[in-house]
Amino acid sequence: MGITTSKKIGNAVERNRARRIIRAAFRDNLPDIKGGYDFVFVARTRTKFLKSTDVSVIMAKHLAKAGVKKK
């Protein structure tokens, strides 16, 4: 799993917060993901304002749409 954040997100503290939020959301969804995939997540400007539980729900929807979640 890779996470990318650009300087558009904000300063180093805000970029690290966005990465931590995405990492926590991925950990929540990890048991439901099929093996054998590599993921790259791109942090957006609004990511730093959300909680990891909010991002986890959004991530679960996108993973299901991509077909990588277990049934």
Side-chain angles (χ1 to χ4, degrees):
M1 190 242 330
I3 303 170
T4 181
T5 54
S6 70
K7 289 196 175 187
K8 291 180 183 178
I9 302 296
N11 62 22
V13 174
E14 293 169 332
R15 291 192 306 269
N16 285 328
R17 175 173 165 68
R19 282 188 214 114
R20 283 194 311 269
I21 290 168
I22 292 172
R23 210 175 299 124
F26 185 74
R27 260 193 310 270
D28 290 345
N29 286 295
L30 191 58
D32 300 329
I33 297 174
K34 297 177 189 176
Y37 291 97
D38 294 328
F39 298 99
V40 176
F41 296 102
V42 179
R44 300 294 180 195
T45 54
R46 64 180 176 265
T47 306
K48 64 184 177 184
F49 300 115
L50 298 174
K51 295 187 179 209
S52 64
T53 53
D54 299 332
V55 175
S56 181
V57 171
I58 295 166
M59 189 180 288
K61 289 179 188 176
H62 286 291
L63 291 172
K65 187 176 178 181
V68 296
K69 288 196 72 158
K70 295 177 185 174
K71 300 289 180 199

